[in-house]
PDB file of all heavy atoms in Angstrom:
ATOM      1  N   THR A 608      -6.487  51.220 -24.819  1.00  0.00           N
ATOM      2  CA  THR A 608      -7.249  51.612 -26.000  1.00  0.00           C
ATOM      3  C   THR A 608      -7.355  50.466 -26.986  1.00  0.00           C
ATOM      4  O   THR A 608      -8.282  50.413 -27.781  1.00  0.00           O
ATOM      5  CB  THR A 608      -6.576  52.816 -26.673  1.00  0.00           C
ATOM      6  OG1 THR A 608      -5.210  52.486 -26.974  1.00  0.00           O
ATOM      7  CG2 THR A 608      -6.606  54.017 -25.759  1.00  0.00           C
ATOM      8  N   GLU A 609      -6.404  49.533 -26.973  1.00  0.00           N
ATOM      9  CA  GLU A 609      -6.438  48.389 -27.868  1.00  0.00           C
ATOM     10  C   GLU A 609      -6.267  47.122 -27.057  1.00  0.00           C
ATOM     11  O   GLU A 609      -5.385  47.017 -26.206  1.00  0.00           O
ATOM     12  CB  GLU A 609      -5.332  48.488 -28.912  1.00  0.00           C
ATOM     13  CG  GLU A 609      -5.460  49.708 -29.828  1.00  0.00           C
ATOM     14  CD  GLU A 609      -4.329  49.754 -30.838  1.00  0.00           C
ATOM     15  OE1 GLU A 609      -3.452  48.864 -30.773  1.00  0.00           O
ATOM     16  OE2 GLU A 609      -4.317  50.659 -31.681  1.00  0.00           O
ATOM     17  N   ALA A 610      -7.110  46.120 -27.369  1.00  0.00           N
ATOM     18  CA  ALA A 610      -6.999  44.833 -26.678  1.00  0.00           C
ATOM     19  C   ALA A 610      -5.655  44.177 -26.981  1.00  0.00           C
ATOM     20  O   ALA A 610      -5.116  43.440 -26.155  1.00  0.00           O
ATOM     21  CB  ALA A 610      -8.145  43.916 -27.092  1.00  0.00           C
ATOM     22  N   GLU A 611      -5.112  44.446 -28.173  1.00  0.00           N
ATOM     23  CA  GLU A 611      -3.824  43.850 -28.533  1.00  0.00           C
ATOM     24  C   GLU A 611      -2.713  44.334 -27.608  1.00  0.00           C
ATOM     25  O   GLU A 611      -1.801  43.581 -27.269  1.00  0.00           O
ATOM     26  CB  GLU A 611      -3.476  44.197 -29.989  1.00  0.00           C
ATOM     27  CG  GLU A 611      -4.379  43.540 -31.023  1.00  0.00           C
ATOM     28  CD  GLU A 611      -5.674  44.297 -31.221  1.00  0.00           C
ATOM     29  OE1 GLU A 611      -5.858  45.334 -30.543  1.00  0.00           O
ATOM     30  OE2 GLU A 611      -6.504  43.853 -32.027  1.00  0.00           O
ATOM     31  N   LEU A 612      -2.792  45.600 -27.207  1.00  0.00           N
ATOM     32  CA  LEU A 612      -1.778  46.136 -26.304  1.00  0.00           C
ATOM     33  C   LEU A 612      -1.843  45.435 -24.949  1.00  0.00           C
ATOM     34  O   LEU A 612      -0.810  45.091 -24.368  1.00  0.00           O
ATOM     35  CB  LEU A 612      -1.976  47.639 -26.124  1.00  0.00           C
ATOM     36  CG  LEU A 612      -1.017  48.343 -25.159  1.00  0.00           C
ATOM     37  CD1 LEU A 612       0.423  48.192 -25.631  1.00  0.00           C
ATOM     38  CD2 LEU A 612      -1.381  49.811 -25.012  1.00  0.00           C
ATOM     39  N   ALA A 613      -3.053  45.218 -24.460  1.00  0.00           N
ATOM     40  CA  ALA A 613      -3.204  44.518 -23.182  1.00  0.00           C
ATOM     41  C   ALA A 613      -2.654  43.103 -23.279  1.00  0.00           C
ATOM     42  O   ALA A 613      -1.956  42.620 -22.377  1.00  0.00           O
ATOM     43  CB  ALA A 613      -4.670  44.489 -22.771  1.00  0.00           C
ATOM     44  N   TYR A 614      -2.972  42.425 -24.400  1.00  0.00           N
ATOM     45  CA  TYR A 614      -2.477  41.062 -24.584  1.00  0.00           C
ATOM     46  C   TYR A 614      -0.956  41.038 -24.638  1.00  0.00           C
ATOM     47  O   TYR A 614      -0.306  40.204 -24.010  1.00  0.00           O
ATOM     48  CB  TYR A 614      -3.056  40.479 -25.871  1.00  0.00           C
ATOM     49  CG  TYR A 614      -2.346  39.222 -26.332  1.00  0.00           C
ATOM     50  CD1 TYR A 614      -2.569  38.003 -25.693  1.00  0.00           C
ATOM     51  CD2 TYR A 614      -1.438  39.261 -27.383  1.00  0.00           C
ATOM     52  CE1 TYR A 614      -1.911  36.859 -26.105  1.00  0.00           C
ATOM     53  CE2 TYR A 614      -0.772  38.124 -27.795  1.00  0.00           C
ATOM     54  CZ  TYR A 614      -1.013  36.922 -27.164  1.00  0.00           C
ATOM     55  OH  TYR A 614      -0.353  35.797 -27.555  1.00  0.00           O
ATOM     56  N   ARG A 615      -0.371  41.968 -25.374  1.00  0.00           N
ATOM     57  CA  ARG A 615       1.081  41.990 -25.521  1.00  0.00           C
ATOM     58  C   ARG A 615       1.771  42.250 -24.179  1.00  0.00           C
ATOM     59  O   ARG A 615       2.762  41.600 -23.849  1.00  0.00           O
ATOM     60  CB  ARG A 615       1.482  43.055 -26.546  1.00  0.00           C
ATOM     61  CG  ARG A 615       2.976  43.071 -26.847  1.00  0.00           C
ATOM     62  CD  ARG A 615       3.308  43.942 -28.034  1.00  0.00           C
ATOM     63  NE  ARG A 615       3.058  45.346 -27.770  1.00  0.00           N
ATOM     64  CZ  ARG A 615       2.099  46.051 -28.333  1.00  0.00           C
ATOM     65  NH1 ARG A 615       1.278  45.471 -29.201  1.00  0.00           N
ATOM     66  NH2 ARG A 615       1.936  47.333 -28.053  1.00  0.00           N
ATOM     67  N   ASN A 616       1.232  43.187 -23.405  1.00  0.00           N
ATOM     68  CA  ASN A 616       1.843  43.491 -22.112  1.00  0.00           C
ATOM     69  C   ASN A 616       1.798  42.286 -21.181  1.00  0.00           C
ATOM     70  O   ASN A 616       2.789  41.943 -20.536  1.00  0.00           O
ATOM     71  CB  ASN A 616       1.122  44.678 -21.469  1.00  0.00           C
ATOM     72  CG  ASN A 616       1.429  45.986 -22.172  1.00  0.00           C
ATOM     73  OD1 ASN A 616       2.427  46.092 -22.875  1.00  0.00           O
ATOM     74  ND2 ASN A 616       0.569  46.972 -22.001  1.00  0.00           N
ATOM     75  N   ARG A 617       0.634  41.650 -21.101  1.00  0.00           N
ATOM     76  CA  ARG A 617       0.510  40.501 -20.218  1.00  0.00           C
ATOM     77  C   ARG A 617       1.388  39.344 -20.682  1.00  0.00           C
ATOM     78  O   ARG A 617       1.994  38.639 -19.873  1.00  0.00           O
ATOM     79  CB  ARG A 617      -0.953  40.059 -20.129  1.00  0.00           C
ATOM     80  CG  ARG A 617      -1.823  40.993 -19.296  1.00  0.00           C
ATOM     81  CD  ARG A 617      -1.351  40.987 -17.839  1.00  0.00           C
ATOM     82  NE  ARG A 617      -2.152  41.847 -17.007  1.00  0.00           N
ATOM     83  CZ  ARG A 617      -3.223  41.435 -16.322  1.00  0.00           C
ATOM     84  NH1 ARG A 617      -3.599  40.184 -16.380  1.00  0.00           N
ATOM     85  NH2 ARG A 617      -3.896  42.274 -15.567  1.00  0.00           N
ATOM     86  N   ALA A 618       1.421  39.110 -21.999  1.00  0.00           N
ATOM     87  CA  ALA A 618       2.232  38.008 -22.518  1.00  0.00           C
ATOM     88  C   ALA A 618       3.714  38.229 -22.214  1.00  0.00           C
ATOM     89  O   ALA A 618       4.434  37.293 -21.847  1.00  0.00           O
ATOM     90  CB  ALA A 618       2.005  37.862 -24.025  1.00  0.00           C
ATOM     91  N   MET A 619       4.184  39.467 -22.358  1.00  0.00           N
ATOM     92  CA  MET A 619       5.588  39.765 -22.066  1.00  0.00           C
ATOM     93  C   MET A 619       5.894  39.554 -20.584  1.00  0.00           C
ATOM     94  O   MET A 619       6.946  39.017 -20.222  1.00  0.00           O
ATOM     95  CB  MET A 619       5.898  41.204 -22.484  1.00  0.00           C
ATOM     96  CG  MET A 619       5.892  41.428 -23.991  1.00  0.00           C
ATOM     97  SD  MET A 619       6.102  43.160 -24.450  1.00  0.00           S
ATOM     98  CE  MET A 619       7.737  43.481 -23.800  1.00  0.00           C
ATOM     99  N   GLN A 620       4.974  39.945 -19.719  1.00  0.00           N
ATOM    100  CA  GLN A 620       5.185  39.752 -18.281  1.00  0.00           C
ATOM    101  C   GLN A 620       5.229  38.265 -17.943  1.00  0.00           C
ATOM    102  O   GLN A 620       6.064  37.818 -17.141  1.00  0.00           O
ATOM    103  CB  GLN A 620       4.071  40.434 -17.499  1.00  0.00           C
ATOM    104  CG  GLN A 620       4.015  41.939 -17.676  1.00  0.00           C
ATOM    105  CD  GLN A 620       2.662  42.487 -17.320  1.00  0.00           C
ATOM    106  OE1 GLN A 620       1.941  41.911 -16.507  1.00  0.00           O
ATOM    107  NE2 GLN A 620       2.270  43.596 -17.927  1.00  0.00           N
ATOM    108  N   TYR A 621       4.325  37.512 -18.557  1.00  0.00           N
ATOM    109  CA  TYR A 621       4.269  36.072 -18.283  1.00  0.00           C
ATOM    110  C   TYR A 621       5.561  35.405 -18.739  1.00  0.00           C
ATOM    111  O   TYR A 621       6.157  34.590 -18.019  1.00  0.00           O
ATOM    112  CB  TYR A 621       3.065  35.485 -19.010  1.00  0.00           C
ATOM    113  CG  TYR A 621       2.695  34.092 -18.577  1.00  0.00           C
ATOM    114  CD1 TYR A 621       3.095  33.582 -17.342  1.00  0.00           C
ATOM    115  CD2 TYR A 621       1.929  33.274 -19.394  1.00  0.00           C
ATOM    116  CE1 TYR A 621       2.735  32.319 -16.946  1.00  0.00           C
ATOM    117  CE2 TYR A 621       1.566  32.001 -19.007  1.00  0.00           C
ATOM    118  CZ  TYR A 621       1.973  31.528 -17.781  1.00  0.00           C
ATOM    119  OH  TYR A 621       1.624  30.269 -17.391  1.00  0.00           O
ATOM    120  N   ALA A 622       6.003  35.743 -19.949  1.00  0.00           N
ATOM    121  CA  ALA A 622       7.238  35.161 -20.468  1.00  0.00           C
ATOM    122  C   ALA A 622       8.431  35.540 -19.594  1.00  0.00           C
ATOM    123  O   ALA A 622       9.303  34.703 -19.308  1.00  0.00           O
ATOM    124  CB  ALA A 622       7.465  35.620 -21.906  1.00  0.00           C
TER     125      ALA A 622
END
Side-chain angles (χ1 to χ4, degrees):
T608 56
E609 298 180 358
E611 292 82 0
L612 178 60
Y614 166 76
R615 185 169 67 249
N616 288 340
R617 286 296 181 92
M619 291 174 63
Q620 297 159 27
Y621 193 21

